[in-house]
Amino acid sequence: MSSSLVSLLVVGLAAFANAAPRDLTVDLGVAENFAVLASAGISSVRDCKISGDIGVSPAALSYITGFSTSFGSSTAAAQSPYVKGAVYAADMSNPTPAYLTAAVSNMETAYVQAARFVNPDETELNDGDLSGLTLAPGLYKWGTSVYMPTDLVFNGTAEDTWVLQVAGTLRMAADVRIVLTSGAKATNIVWQVADAVTFGARSHFEGIVLAATGVTLQTEASMFGRILAQTEVALQKATVVAPFVPEPEVVTKRSVVRWL
Ligand SMILES: *[C@@H]1O[C@H](CO)[C@@H](O)[C@H](O)[C@H]1NC(C)=O
């Protein structure tokens, strides 16, 4: 082999190794306005703290339980002492029903978009046991359930994206944390989960959860991100803080006040 061909190969391989990770951005549409959005209901057992809007549709306000909701001057949105943001349900006054129909439709479309990314960087990584791992940006796919028994690190820049496709359940053990390093952002980490999602007591999650069924945050679990669930969300003395919606979109999307 000629030396020029060898150097060409070396240059080519170096370029490949340094290739920017691909863009796995998932478009949440107006579902991005919510800290917690669910089709069938949201329950709070003892005092939860939510920073951001919550909503249910097609379920009615009676399926938001434990939030001590009340109406102010408008019947298009309710308030709750446990929510720094608005509470929406499908049986409220206009324009809320149409807004929620759009948000739920966008959440379902986002789920399908996340599920359709192909050519995973990792398939069946550690057979779904994520003990002690640091995940580089990319597409991860499991045909099974996924369990986080220990802290899980996402390492990448603020521009990097992750999509995690889980065919089974997603569970995080008690007291376990998701840790973001090198500038990685929770809004760029999307979990697409076909079965139930359960975060253990006092665990801390960072990212966007697109769930085909329900999501449960056990006692004093916290998360920075969004829960977009196609059945029910159960919060047990949990804290959910939604990220700020980016500044240029402030006209169409609500920004939120953080609890912490
Ligand atoms: C984290 O990512 C940076 C590049 O973004 C890399 O240089 C570093 O080795 C990574 N650290 C770990 C522990 O993977």
Side-chain angles (χ1 to χ4, degrees):
M1 202 183 287
S2 78
S3 65
S4 61
L5 183 52
V6 167
S7 54
L8 252 179
L9 273 172
V10 168
V11 169
L13 284 171
F16 183 73
N18 291 330
R22 71 180 140 154
D23 182 5
L24 297 163
T25 300
V26 176
D27 182 4
L28 302 181
V30 292
E32 191 182 23
N33 295 356
F34 291 84
V36 182
L37 179 65
S39 301
I42 303 171
S43 66
S44 164
V45 178
R46 301 185 56 198
D47 306 355
C48 291
K49 290 194 180 84
I50 314 290
S51 175
D53 292 351
I54 68 171
V56 292
S57 177
L61 182 58
S62 57
Y63 290 88
I64 294 182
T65 59
F67 281 93
S68 308
T69 54
S70 62
F71 286 104
S73 54
S74 165
T75 52
Q79 57 206 20
S80 161
Y82 308 115
V83 179
K84 286 195 171 166
V87 178
Y88 294 104
D91 58 342
M92 290 179 178
S93 306
N94 289 331
T96 297
Y99 171 55
L100 287 173
T101 299
V104 167
S105 171
N106 291 167
M107 134 175 122
E108 291 168 357
T109 301
Y111 180 92
V112 171
Q113 186 198 354
R116 279 189 183 156
F117 285 118
V118 294
N119 303 324
D121 299 290
E122 295 280 358
T123 305
E124 315 303 348
L125 180 63
N126 277 21
D127 292 328
D129 177 341
L130 306 190
S131 302
L133 290 181
T134 294
L135 300 184
L139 178 62
Y140 296 79
K141 183 181 179 71
W142 291 273
T144 60
S145 291
V146 167
Y147 181 49
M148 288 173 253
T150 63
D151 290 0
L152 177 64
V153 179
F154 288 83
N155 180 52
T157 70
E159 285 74 44
D160 287 332
T161 50
W162 289 255
V163 168
L164 305 106
Q165 301 168 328
V166 181
T169 61
L170 173 64
R171 283 187 308 129
M172 184 158 53
D175 300 301
V176 159
R177 300 179 67 82
I178 285 184
V179 177
L180 310 186
T181 57
S182 305
K185 287 171 64 183
T187 46
N188 290 340
I189 302 170
V190 175
W191 294 81
Q192 173 260 318
V193 187
D195 206 337
V197 176
T198 310
F199 297 154
R202 300 169 305 277
S203 64
H204 180 73
F205 181 88
E206 303 239 349
I208 309 297
V209 178
L210 293 170
T213 67
V215 177
T216 301
L217 267 61
Q218 294 177 335
T219 307
E220 292 182 356
S222 65
M223 74 177 277
F224 179 65
R226 306 181 195 284
I227 305 173
L228 307 174
Q230 293 177 35
T231 65
E232 291 175 355
V233 176
L235 305 171
Q236 298 162 1
K237 216 179 174 190
T239 300
V240 179
V241 175
F244 285 102
V245 169
E247 196 67 32
E249 303 180 43
V250 115
V251 179
T252 52
K253 299 184 176 179
R254 302 175 61 91
S255 53
V256 298
V257 182
R258 294 183 61 158
W259 280 92
L260 305 170

